[in-house]
Amino acid sequence: MDLLFRTSCGMITGLSLLLWFVRASSSKEGCDSPLVSNLPQSAFKSSSQLSNSHDPGYAKLNRRDGAGGWSPLDSNKYQWLEINLEERTEITAVATQGRYGSSDWVTSYLLMFSDTGHNWRQYRQEDSIGAFSGNTNADSVVTYKLQQPVFTQYLRVLPLDWNPNGRVGLRLEVYGCQYKSDVASFDGASYLLFRSDPAPSLSAKDLLTMNFKSLHHSGILVHMEGQHGHTLTLELLKGKLFLHFRKGRSASGDFHTTVSLGSLLDDQHWHHISIERLRGHVNFTVDKNTQRLQLPEHQSHFEINEISFGGVSAVGAHSRGNFHGCLENVLYNAVNVIEQAKEKQVSVMGNITFICSEAVDVPVTFASPESFLQLPWAVSRDSVSVSLHFRTWNKVGLLMTFDLQHQAGALWLYLSEAKTRLQIHKAGRVMVDITAGSGLNDGQWHSVELSVRRGRLVLAVDKADASTTTTSFPVMPGHHIFLGGCPNTEDGSGCRNPFSVFQGCMRLIHLESNLVDLIKVQQMLVGNFSDLQMDMCGIVDRCSPSHCEHGGKCTQSWSTFHCNCSNTGYSGATCHSSIYEPSCEAYKHRGNTSGYYYVDMDGSGPIKPQLIYCNMSDKAWMVIQHNNTELTKLRTSSGTNQHLAYFNYSADTEQLGAIISQAEHCEQELSYHCKKSRLLNTPEGAPFTWWVGRSGEAHTYWGGARPGSQQCACGLQEDCVDPEHFCNCDGDLDSWANDSGVISHKEHLPVRLLAVGDINRPGSEAAYRVGPLQCYGDNDFWNAAYFNKETSYLHFPTFHGELSADISFLFKTSSSSGVFLENLGIKDFIRIELSSPTEVVFSFDVGNGPFEVRVETTEPLNDERWHRVKAERNVKEASLHVDHFPGVVQKAPADGHIHLQLNSQLFVGGTASRQKGFLGCIRSLKLNGKTLDLEERAKITPGVQPGCPGHCSSYGGLCQNRGRCVEKYNGFACDCGSSPYSGTFCHKEVSAHFRPGTSVAYTFKEPYELNRNASAQSSSIYSDLTLKGENISLSFRTSQAPALLLYVSSYYREYLGILLNRNGQLDVKYKLQNNRDAEVFRSSVRNLANGQLHRVSIRRVSESLGVQIDQHTREDFNLTSDVDFNAIKAVIIGKVHESGEMDPEIARLNSLGFTGCLSVIQFNSIAPLKAALLYPDTSPVIVTGPLTESNCGSSSSSSPYAAETTHSLSDHFGTVGTGEPVVNAISSDSALIGGVIAVVIFVILAALAVMARFLYRRKETCQTQQPKGTKPEDSPETPFNTDPHSQSIISDTQKEYFI
């Protein structure tokens, strides 16, 4: 099926209310007339009355007749007052009073309505609120205007609470107006056939509105036939409405799309439908809920020829059957279809009456754990037959139980895993255990029947699924049968329920084919019951509409619902909050390195998370790939004047727009290589090549030039090959040239289409490359304001978070308390505050009274460090999280108000009530995924400053391995100058693979006193300091023993050597005194030449020496010779190439060189290996032999998705201007296609060869890779201080920044 359509589902309040009110002539001005005052006494009924003078007929507002109002015989929750309005009437308001001159009044009540006087339905104000607040005395009048009008003939008031010092007493009035109702009743085989005017319609809009009441859970309500095989069918299926659009005569059709709305619509109550079509836009409304959909353009234009209401003539092609029930006020484009049917202007097919015949089913609701129904069993036959209908959302619950006669055991019929299960226990043994049915917790009515006759027991569900067994003993109830549960009795006699109670509805209860009269049960004339809602089914579908957001799947029980957020990227009770960060910048500040991450730009907003590569170099770059980032060659092709290249990105349009808007900077490389192929045809010609950006507008400037300039980068820089032109390629040279540059105008990005011309001339060749979209920075992440007065605040428009609200921000302060934000309504409010140095409070009121969630921390929050706060409130719960401390979650009331209604401005940093405001900084404030621009508002607000410095106190811990945090205005940087590590957080190990001839020597000039006669131009860097200690760390991996790892020489023939002996043990060899032999300190750790990575730390302070290897215990030694290490000459790793006398053992090891891996080598403040690999041109290092940078120093293999990359604009390019670029070729030439295939095969074979070699090389001691051709991100001009005592001092160019 063609599913080229888009739907967006939700509550569209304005349209929904409009369509709800527009019911024929129902909603109109002045529908507020009193309806009760003129009714006769016979129109009033009640459950009971205290006396004749307390008759329900005296329950009229402001009347003093009789005893001054109605009071029942007993004041309990089973009493009710009923009013018959004599015809269906529109009710808009209700007013109540207590009984005149008494202490009797009702403090809360339920409002019920019905068209038949049976099967009552509860009025709910907000879908979950049913109780109305009543009176506080006997005389004052409390009036409620209903949020939606009620259309009914019968009205009931059920008192819930009353004056504790009196009894139930009530007078009331109902306000509204007459209601015009045209109805038609359908029997499941009949329908109305309406043929529209054959004249072409001048209106592009179709509107169908009607009400329906169904006696069956399925059937066709409306079927429309249009031109060219278009059909629209409205079908009720298992209590839900489905709207089908089809093109074609078959069931599936050439085009078929379906949208569903509503639930439990087979409840025998009226429901409102509206279908509005404006070309391809369709609004589908059921009661208060609206769903929008848009048809594809080619399916959106068709005229309706005929419409059938109540069914179709040939059932089967579209549905399971026709409609059985009533339709009311059917209006199609303002035509009253039922009125025309009465006048024979519409064809009537089958038996249709114009009176709505009502079914009189009396249901009962088991609403609580205390609910049960006890019925007497007085049948003396030798057979048993019990049947009933039930509906529920619960998988478990007791349906029925009874004790067998003569204490012979007990029978239980109950729900287990949504199946009916019957067990008979006798003398502690299970004698019968059978099941029937499945999936019975779907909210639909299901029938269950138990029959026992002549030892044969049958359990049947829905008259189809049955289980049968035989019994060798009589199965006969005792005196009672219990339904739904058991009474709470002290001795437990008569009924035992080892299972869960039933919560749901029952009806049509038969005992031996006799229908139980539940009205008599309600009147206490038959049986017994507790906590039942008689004559109504109170089932509610909590998943329609679903409160689960972002694709979360809703499941429910009788009393609550649950959202399954798996694989949505969101969390929380309603799948509201995103589990992902909003940018690469945010991931970077969590300490994450380069790799693929899901990024959710608007948090809890509608934009979906997107998998994006984050390149954590000097900046946190977001890299968004498209379908062709390679250099692609175009050859001359006859008949082709232009080549069009479309670019499809890994992010959709909405995601791209959010990424670009939120980023500080975005860019995209645009490159054109040419040979006799002009580009923009400058200076005055029409451009041959152009590109299209995000908005669909064509652009004729090239990368590196200003928007609208029709130039290339060389034109802007005035260095084009031909100064007469503004692009190199416009010179039309017979040799390869190129124009490359970066587009950075955010409003024009990304490049969607590239149109290349001038490729059809003989000898014309061209190649283009459009790089990935790359953005860095997060304008929202650092958006901050500093509040320097308690009376200062920022104000913003009202926060709209009616059903779901999430608020997140960071703060830092030295104050002990203060209000972060507040928004007020008439009664509702929402507030977050720091109540003490160790407590944050999230408070709000949605009409149920103030509600607070508190998080107490074990550490003070007024420490001038950044702290994160995240608060969320939804229909199920409220939660508050502060930093890493345990969050607090509190459940919302089960039956309370759910809409947060605010109307004042949102105050940030203060309150409208002028209570103590906030002193300090607030940053990255987001409400429902939208960031408030604090900085922009702070610029114009006294007492508030934009921005907030001081980030190292919070983020400095991200700088690892002796990296130093450096403050920036928007962020911080990690200075790795004193660390042997590199990278964003000084976390990247600098390692190299050494061969026997490899040597790295970090050198120092000879002391000043030994160099007095040197030239004045010689280096001023001398090694004239005396070391009284060393701090050395290194990692190595080798299979060589013995081996020299590190050697430090001196101008005074002193030295320090670190080596492996023949047994693979580490020896530290010091010679600090000429007249004494060298001292050797040997570690007890063995077999270090085992090819594994080992980390060594050596620390000497004066004569004390400590050596630690890996996780082994540190070993301590003492020097007995001199403790001064004088005039260091060089720190050498690998082979020593110094001339002069050398210790014999050192010389012998030196002759072998070193083979293996050395990593993160540090001698005091000097990192010789880092200097040699990353800064060879600016450091005093001498490298001899092959030196290969490697990842061999990593303790675990690096993931290719987590490897750091260097941001470069020249990747995948050939050498500019020197010849033909290396490209992917595009040509229609078959020989060229064959060449491409050959190249692909060659690449595959080469890849296999490389993989084989890689697997073979894994057997070697370490893995290597070629040095990077680009300069690393932390390259300084003078990377290291040559004083081995000191910490390095570097300039801004030496630092790695967060921006």
Side-chain angles (χ1 to χ4, degrees), residues 392-403:
T392 184
W393 299 116
N394 292 358
K395 291 184 177 181
V396 297
L398 179 70
L399 294 174
M400 177 178 64
T401 182
F402 56 79
D403 287 340

Side-chain angles (χ1 to χ4, degrees), residues 781-857:
F781 191 75
W782 297 111
N783 193 296
Y786 172 56
F787 300 83
N788 54 25
K789 294 181 180 179
E790 288 186 356
T791 56
S792 61
Y793 59 84
L794 301 176
H795 58 85
F796 294 89
T798 305
F799 173 46
H800 296 286
E802 285 77 6
L803 295 176
S804 293
D806 74 277
I807 303 171
S808 64
F809 58 91
L810 294 99
F811 77 92
K812 67 174 182 174
T813 184
S814 59
S815 181
S816 60
S817 63
V819 177
F820 296 122
L821 61 87
E822 180 184 79
N823 205 163
L824 304 178
I826 297 176
K827 293 182 179 179
D828 296 1
F829 73 89
I830 190 168
R831 181 187 302 116
I832 304 177
E833 60 186 308
L834 181 69
S835 62
S836 75
T838 58
E839 185 178 61
V840 176
V841 180
F842 172 38
S843 56
F844 59 88
D845 187 351
V846 294
N848 304 313
F851 195 86
E852 288 188 347
V853 186
R854 296 174 176 266
V855 170
E856 293 190 8
T857 65

Side-chain angles (χ1 to χ4, degrees), residues 157-199:
V157 176
L158 277 64
L160 294 178
D161 293 294
W162 47 90
N163 179 18
N165 298 318
R167 57 191 309 126
V168 172
L170 186 64
R171 290 176 287 173
L172 83 163
E173 181 60 88
V174 176
Y175 300 93
C177 55
Q178 291 184 341
Y179 173 65
K180 183 178 183 298
S181 174
D182 290 310
V183 298
S185 182
F186 300 80
D187 61 3
S190 54
Y191 62 94
L192 296 175
L193 187 61
F194 172 84
R195 290 184 173 88
S196 60
D197 189 349

Side-chain angles (χ1 to χ4, degrees), residues 45-47 78-84 91 109-114 117-123 152-159 170 172 519 522-523 534-536:
K45 289 174 59 177
S46 65
S47 53
Y78 300 115
Q79 307 301 324
W80 47 264
L81 173 66
E82 180 181 316
I83 302 171
N84 182 357
I91 299 174
Y109 61 93
L110 297 179
L111 191 64
M112 317 291 288
F113 58 94
S114 168
H118 292 291
N119 189 27
W120 295 88
R121 187 177 184 186
Q122 180 180 340
Y123 179 85
T152 187
Q153 180 175 341
Y154 294 89
L155 201 68
R156 262 191 189 182
V157 176
L158 277 64
L170 186 64
L172 83 163
I519 299 300
Q522 184 183 26
Q523 295 170 347
M534 288 291 188
D535 206 2
M536 66 171 290

